[in-house]
Amino acid sequence: MTPAPATFSDDWLSLREPADHRSRNMALEAELARYLEEVEEQRIVDLGAGSGSNLRALAPRLGLRQHWVLMDHDGSLAEAARTRLKAFADSWREAGDTLVLTLGAREVRVDFVIADLARDPAAPRAFAPHLVTASAFHDLVSADWCASFAQGMAGSGILVHAALICDGQDAWAPPHPADTAIAAGFRAHQGIDKGFGPALGPDAAQVLGTALARAGYEVGQAQSPWRLVPGDRALIQKLAAGTAAAATESGRVDGVTAQDWARHRADAEACAIGHLDLLAVPRT
């Protein structure tokens, strides 16, 4: 039986959002905005949209008229996204099922689609978007999924943007004797099938980039690491606990070692979690 696609709580997504937004690569997103600047109404599909964080980060950097389709398999997160986007906007109205946001001079129309992207990686193409984007998504999928997605985008003229793909370049300070063992256990756990086949984890950016290049795209990547400091204590504590639990579940680290590591890491002075952002532009 294929596992259901991974589900993340709105609490976790809310906790990580400030770190996500300040870590995204601004130069890459400025380049993306330039490719779309001549489009009067920019049509955008967001994969695994969760509670709408990607829209909140990217929409203020794009054009004055935007139409987003937020795709996720979890209806409860779609409802959370609707609620949080209303709070985010300067004003809002509903036109049937479409949520219409005002963000300064921008009008952003938002539709919510419950979809099984694991079954149909090319589903975004049905909405004729100018851009397909995602945040913290592609490290959950498999190499086969990336190949199918890239083939589905081939020849479409659609831009592809992926933010915050984990790259495995993590570092905690000060050092702890169990760092290497915990990292190995966590990486093993990352590879567990999240509903899309064996998950790519830190190999995702390379695999996705290669698949898109074969499908006719010019692919650029840029770093977007989380750099967490004591002011991010709640996120550090949650991250430490989750990392230790995953390492234990992998069977490579015993529970006592993982608990000791998590206890020390909850008070870490600093933590860097490596990510990459990717922008793929169709070759002319």
Side-chain angles (χ1 to χ4, degrees):
M1 179 181 294
T2 302
T7 298
F8 299 92
S9 72
D10 184 41
D11 288 345
W12 165 246
L13 297 176
S14 297
L15 181 61
R16 65 174 289 168
E17 184 165 317
D20 281 346
H21 284 197
R22 71 174 185 254
S23 301
R24 296 166 68 109
N25 191 280
M26 297 296 101
L28 204 69
E29 293 185 3
E31 183 179 355
L32 168 61
R34 286 194 294 273
Y35 279 109
L36 289 172
E37 62 187 0
E38 299 300 323
V39 178
E40 184 176 354
E41 182 177 41
Q42 299 167 352
R43 297 187 301 274
I44 302 157
V45 175
D46 187 10
L47 308 181
S51 61
S53 179
N54 198 22
L55 185 157
R56 288 188 288 278
L58 195 54
R61 299 175 189 137
L62 299 181
L64 295 181
R65 295 182 61 206
Q66 303 171 35
H67 188 174
W68 286 67
V69 175
L70 304 192
M71 301 186 77
D72 203 288
H73 75 285
D74 187 342
S76 65
L77 284 179
E79 287 304 311
R82 185 180 289 270
T83 299
R84 295 192 63 198
L85 289 170
K86 289 176 179 178
F88 169 71
D90 297 325
S91 63
W92 59 270
R93 60 184 172 86
E94 291 179 324
D97 292 333
T98 301
L99 179 63
V100 184
L101 310 176
T102 300
L103 306 174
R106 292 172 173 82
E107 180 181 271
V108 179
R109 301 174 65 83
V110 187
D111 287 310
F112 302 86
V113 173
I114 306 304
D116 185 355
L117 289 168
R119 286 179 176 270
D120 187 7
R125 191 161 174 171
F127 299 94
H130 301 101
L131 167 66
V132 172
T133 182
S135 177
F137 173 75
H138 286 92
D139 39 68
L140 304 175
V141 306
S142 66
D144 286 346
W145 190 95
C146 284
S148 296
F149 170 73
Q151 290 164 11
M153 297 299 104
S156 66
I158 299 169
L159 295 164
V160 177
H161 171 253
L164 299 163
I165 307 172
C166 74
D167 67 0
Q169 301 301 307
D170 303 345
W172 295 77
H176 185 278
D179 281 343
T180 300
I182 291 289
F186 181 71
R187 298 291 169 250
H189 189 273
Q190 278 187 303
I192 293 173
D193 188 341
K194 309 299 193 303
F196 300 86
L200 287 166
D203 298 325
Q206 179 181 351
V207 172
L208 176 63
T210 298
L212 288 166
R214 288 173 177 164
Y217 282 83
E218 294 288 346
V219 181
Q221 296 182 11
Q223 293 185 339
S224 54
W226 278 359
R227 300 194 184 280
L228 307 183
V229 295
D232 301 302
R233 182 60 58 202
L235 179 55
I236 289 173
Q237 290 172 344
K238 188 75 170 179
L239 184 62
T243 300
T248 304
E249 290 172 14
S250 76
R252 299 193 178 196
V253 181
D254 65 88
V256 172
T257 298
Q259 288 173 12
D260 179 71
W261 183 89
R263 185 170 59 255
H264 283 82
R265 286 298 172 230
D267 295 321
E269 296 173 2
C271 171
I273 303 297
H275 298 106
L276 291 169
D277 291 0
L278 177 150
L279 176 61
V281 179
R283 294 192 191 103
T284 56

